[in-house]
Amino acid sequence: MPERSLSPAGYFGVLAALVLLTILTVGVSFLEVAGIWHLVLGLSIGLCKASLVVLFFMHALFSPRATWAVIAVSCFWLIVVLMTLTLSDYSSRGEIPFAPGH
């Protein structure tokens, strides 16, 4: 069974998309965006770039289902477990005004 792969032109297309998204990231960094939208735009562009790298350059697009399961579990671990614990710690700071011995 032949393995599916991307042609060199496809790789150059993904590379061009990554370069354009990088230029867009730099352009957005100089914009005056109100509130939290600056962060949302930057993280959205970063998520798109990371997705392109994982799908095409790490060959996850043409990989078996076991690889997709590892990617899904890794995303779950990062988002649900690590971010939840970090944000719960961050949000609970300052609730105890004085802790004896500290």
Side-chain angles (χ1 to χ4, degrees):
M1 180 167 86
E3 290 189 29
R4 296 188 322 173
S5 65
L6 199 61
S7 67
Y11 282 117
F12 283 116
V14 173
L15 177 65
L18 287 171
V19 169
L20 288 175
L21 286 170
T22 302
I23 292 169
L24 182 64
T25 302
V26 172
V28 166
S29 71
F30 289 110
L31 291 178
E32 293 292 330
V33 183
I36 197 164
W37 291 105
H38 201 272
L39 179 66
V40 171
L41 283 171
L43 287 176
S44 299
I45 296 169
L47 181 65
C48 291
K49 291 192 300 187
S51 298
L52 286 173
V53 169
V54 168
L55 288 175
F56 294 102
F57 291 115
M58 295 176 71
H59 304 286
L61 189 62
F62 304 118
S63 63
R65 294 293 172 213
T67 304
W68 282 97
V70 169
I71 292 170
V73 168
S74 301
C75 290
F76 172 79
W77 178 258
L78 174 69
I79 294 169
V80 174
V81 176
L82 293 178
M83 292 301 289
T84 302
L85 291 174
T86 301
L87 291 176
S88 66
D89 174 57
Y90 182 75
S91 65
S92 65
R93 296 206 176 175
E95 289 183 4
I96 301 173
F98 175 72
H102 292 268

